[in-house]
Amino acid sequence: MPRRTPIAAPPTDPVRGRLRRGVALLTAAAMLTACVSTREARIGGDDGDACRPQLVALDSTGNFFAEDILRGAAVGAVSGALIGGLLAAATGQRGSGIAAGAAIGAVGGGVVGGTAGYLTARQQQATDQASLNLAVAGDLAAENAQLDRTQFAFDQLMDCRFRSAEQIRADLRSGRLARPQAAAAMDNIRARTQRDIQLAQTINGQIASRGAQFDTAIDSIAPDVKQAAAQPTRAVPAQPRDAVKLYLRPDAASPEVAQLPARERVTLRPARNGFAQVETSSGLRGYAAAQSFPEARRLEARPAVADGGDVRSLAASNIARRDNFAESVGTAERLTAQGQGFELAS
């Protein structure tokens, strides 16, 4: 039998092959980035922490923000890498030039996926401006509901930590704990609180990144909403006539974190629920009843945010919720860094 001549494989294009491999690597990297770590990796296993239920609740609310943000960034990065690499190859570049083009495209794509990507996707799905507004309003309503859950979870966790610290002080006063034991227990509570705040800062960063997507849409649909929210509030110098309790949150049911002596010079800013945000000369921040300061009458009222169903009201309340959560985390971080609320002597 005559020997068959094997059919030669078509010549491979090394440039195209490198591009395919590069895009595959970037795709895999984006998919790995999009993977959310396990709960144990984020907050550790259950080691008998009295505030474990509140910690788990906060961590669980963060999944909502992390998953959606990373998915948008991954899609943008992969498509950007593909476009960047193809453009580099089309212009005759080789090897490292293609890799550089893909990398630049990935960075650019990630930015687009993280900010303009949301608005662009909604615009493509909408048939007119009314349907676009309705879709964004629905997304904002869902976002606001999740922000409320995250704020509540963080408040509950911080309440648990600060009340645990107060219990240690009570046990020390009553003799149920010796001072070395109380000091060790307080150090443990403070270290746990610092880790809690790191988790909250991570979630806050995810909220801010996701908020940038909504801000792009808000700028397009109702730009004056963001302009109004960006108006700074005027600070007012003040001195309390009597000693004043400072609270962790603008809520008398929240833990007391410090006490201002009478006549101490402080700075007031408007807060919610009839409270003022108080800042001392040392940088300590907390909340006190506004009526404790005669100067509080000069504070500009913090604008109330109505939770209407229209896109403008939802946008305004979304910005306010994001700001409130960031403010809560920042206040807890400052207090913990200064040791306020974690002293052995009350």
Side-chain angles (χ1 to χ4, degrees):
M1 292 180 65
R3 182 178 298 176
R4 293 183 179 180
T5 303
I7 300 174
T12 59
D13 183 345
V15 172
R16 192 177 297 274
R18 284 194 295 270
L19 179 58
R20 279 200 297 267
R21 287 193 296 274
V23 171
L25 286 172
L26 285 163
T27 304
M31 292 175 66
L32 287 172
T33 303
C35 293
V36 179
S37 62
T38 64
R39 173 176 295 164
E40 286 69 24
R42 292 188 300 269
I43 64 175
D46 188 353
D47 59 356
D49 180 8
C51 301
R52 177 76 179 183
Q54 292 87 348
L55 177 58
V56 169
L58 176 62
D59 177 69
S60 299
T61 68
N63 291 338
F64 174 87
F65 304 104
E67 290 174 356
D68 284 358
I69 292 166
L70 293 176
R71 187 182 303 119
V75 170
V78 172
S79 60
L82 180 61
I83 294 169
L86 289 173
L87 287 175
T91 56
Q93 297 183 41
R94 297 291 184 269
S96 61
I98 293 176
I104 293 170
V107 173
V111 172
V112 170
T115 55
Y118 166 72
L119 176 61
T120 300
R122 278 306 189 190
Q123 287 173 329
Q124 291 171 348
Q125 296 165 359
T127 56
D128 53 28
Q129 188 63 43
S131 62
L132 173 62
N133 290 359
L134 186 63
V136 173
D139 294 338
L140 284 168
E143 189 82 0
N144 288 352
Q146 188 63 37
L147 284 168
D148 285 343
R149 285 190 284 270
T150 301
Q151 182 73 66
F152 179 78
F154 180 70
D155 291 347
Q156 292 296 299
L157 178 55
M158 289 298 100
D159 282 7
C160 182
R161 295 300 187 202
F162 280 87
R163 295 190 194 285
S164 295
E166 176 55 38
Q167 184 61 53
I168 292 170
R169 285 190 289 271
D171 290 344
L172 176 62
R173 289 192 299 268
S174 68
R176 287 190 294 269
L177 281 179
R179 179 164 286 273
Q181 294 172 309
M186 191 67 81
D187 287 344
N188 178 267
I189 291 293
R190 184 176 178 184
R192 288 181 185 275
T193 306
Q194 288 171 331
R195 290 194 294 271
D196 298 341
I197 292 170
Q198 289 175 355
L199 172 64
Q201 288 287 22
T202 298
I203 295 173
N204 186 51
Q206 293 163 349
I207 289 172
S209 297
R210 188 175 171 90
Q213 300 178 41
F214 283 113
D215 285 343
T216 302
I218 293 168
D219 280 338
S220 174
I221 295 172
D224 57 316
V225 170
K226 276 191 65 182
Q227 292 171 6
Q231 292 297 321
T233 56
R234 186 169 59 91
V236 174
Q239 289 180 289
R241 292 175 178 170
D242 303 304
V244 174
K245 293 179 179 180
L246 283 186
Y247 294 93
L248 178 63
R249 295 180 282 106
D251 180 354
S254 69
E256 180 185 339
V257 295
Q259 190 168 70
L260 289 178
R263 313 309 299 172
E264 179 169 352
R265 295 181 181 274
V266 297
T267 301
L268 302 181
R269 290 180 176 83
R272 306 178 301 280
N273 305 328
F275 279 72
Q277 185 189 71
V278 181
E279 183 172 3
T280 68
S281 57
S282 65
L284 171 66
R285 286 188 186 178
Y287 296 89
Q291 64 185 11
S292 302
F293 303 89
E295 300 88 346
R297 292 191 296 268
R298 291 157 42 201
L299 284 176
E300 300 171 1
R302 188 162 180 165
V305 177
D307 271 328
D310 62 291
V311 68
R312 295 174 62 83
S313 297
L314 288 164
S317 59
N318 177 261
I319 294 170
R321 282 175 167 87
R322 283 186 269 146
D323 289 345
N324 290 343
F325 184 72
E327 183 180 289
S328 299
V329 176
T331 297
E333 184 176 36
R334 290 186 189 90
L335 289 169
T336 305
Q338 295 177 356
Q340 292 290 333
F342 298 94
E343 313 92 333
L344 278 182
S346 57

